[in-house]
Every structure is written in C-alpha cells, then in structure tokens.
Amino acid sequence: MQRTQSPLLARLARANPTAVFLATLALVLVALFTPGPVGGVLLLALAAALVALLATTWPVQAPQTRLIRLLMLTLLVAVALVKLL
C-alpha cells in the first residue's frame, strides 16, 4: 500500500465483487419490500454510500461510465423519494 492510499480504499479493492453485489441486492430488495418510509431511508442510505464511492472513483472513470452511474444513482434516489412519500 502506498503512503497516499487510503486503507479503506485498499480494503474495498480487495472485496469480492460477487459478495458485494449480492449484499447490495439483498439491501435493495429488503428496502423495496419494507413498508413505509423505512424502505426509503434504507435506499437513501445506499444512495449516500454510492455517492461517496462515485466521488472517490470519479477521476479514473470514463465519461460514459460516469453518465451511467449518475443515471442509476438518480433512479435510486427517485425510487427512494417515492417510497418515502
């Protein structure tokens, strides 16, 4: 690990992509099937984590990837807000 590299980012780089996908899928499904505003709050918490990850990886992403990630994040926030209302 380089001196300028964050320990959190190094740990995220070693994470198993399949496990991360399955955990995220489980969180989204729980949030979608949870009645009331609790599901919306869970989706907003996931969106906040994705915003932090997007901000960290922004400089190394291609413009097409940035656009797709922003669209998906917007969709997630929209679903969360609908769920809250």
Side-chain angles (χ1 to χ4, degrees), residues 4-26:
T4 58
Q5 189 177 8
S6 167
L8 176 62
L9 293 179
R11 186 172 180 187
L12 284 175
R14 291 190 309 264
N16 182 356
T18 304
V20 172
F21 172 77
L22 291 175
T24 305
L25 179 64

Side-chain angles (χ1 to χ4, degrees), residues 9 12 20 46-59 61 69:
L9 293 179
L12 284 175
V20 172
L46 178 61
L50 290 177
V51 165
L53 185 61
L54 180 68
T56 303
T57 60
W58 189 266
Q61 297 300 320
R69 288 183 179 193

